[in-house]
Amino acid sequence: MTEETVVNPRRTEILGAAAELFARRGFHGTSIGDLGRAVGLTGPALYRHFRGKEAVLAEMLLDISERLRAAGERRAADPDPLRALDALLRGHIAFALADPALITVHERELDNVPEPQRHRIRRLQRAYVEEWVGVLRRLHPDRPEARLRAAVHACFGLLNSTPHSAAALDRDAMADLLHTMARAALMA
């Protein structure tokens, strides 16, 4: 989380409400007034916390990108590459099942983030991907790096399908299914 989010729990509350609203109504379909009402504020009072909707969206996506990257770095550091892979999978699956709204917002709304922050989000995401690629490189040293990277992106497509696929099973069953499928794909 960004320092401001940790220091100000109200900002965290606003970001959570915004993720749900942006996922449900879209960025352009959500007003500052909608955001404020979702957390018991007037629209203008929201400006005490954020400069505007773009700032809310940017901080939301920067925050999750940084958290995923930092957690990925810790998990990938396990000296046993199979344990590292399982930890990466479990961590990403937990995120995907807990925060499907963030996946939807990222998928649909990243282009609405101002360029400097969008560039930083993309850089953090590339670093996260490279943590996975590094683990796969240890497991499959003979495979071309481009193939490993493509496999990671394909795996993310599977794992990030939860806004569309997770309703059919209970959370534990879905987590097990995703883990089994993604691990098998990455080990193929």
Side-chain angles (χ1 to χ4, degrees), residues 5-23:
T5 306
V6 172
V7 174
N8 187 341
R10 185 64 154 171
R11 287 175 73 91
T12 303
E13 179 185 15
I14 293 166
L15 292 171
E20 294 298 325
L21 286 170
F22 292 165

Side-chain angles (χ1 to χ4, degrees), residues 61-174:
L61 295 181
L62 278 166
D63 176 62
I64 191 55
S65 297
E66 177 56 39
R67 285 190 289 145
L68 285 170
R69 188 218 48 85
E73 182 179 23
R74 283 191 309 277
R75 292 177 178 122
D78 190 312
D80 179 328
L82 281 174
R83 277 197 321 252
L85 179 61
D86 283 334
L88 286 167
L89 286 166
R90 280 191 306 276
H92 197 95
I93 290 166
F95 154 69
L97 291 173
D99 292 312
L102 286 173
I103 293 169
T104 300
V105 171
H106 177 272
E107 181 179 288
R108 290 194 322 217
E109 309 296 351
L110 183 60
D111 288 342
N112 291 307
V113 173
E115 180 52 39
Q117 292 94 341
R118 187 170 56 238
H119 179 73
R120 185 166 168 226
I121 290 165
R122 289 287 192 207
R123 192 172 55 242
L124 289 165
Q125 291 170 335
R126 281 191 300 275
Y128 181 56
V129 167
E130 292 309 309
E131 295 296 343
W132 288 68
V133 171
V135 169
L136 290 181
R137 193 178 314 114
R138 290 190 286 154
L139 288 167
H140 309 292
D142 57 323
R143 296 204 182 138
E145 204 162 290
R147 179 185 168 109
L148 299 176
R149 194 169 290 106
V152 170
H153 283 288
C155 179
F156 286 169
L158 168 67
L159 299 179
N160 291 343
S161 71
T162 56
H164 315 288
S165 64
L169 299 174
D170 70 45
R171 186 181 177 124
D172 291 339
M174 190 64 187

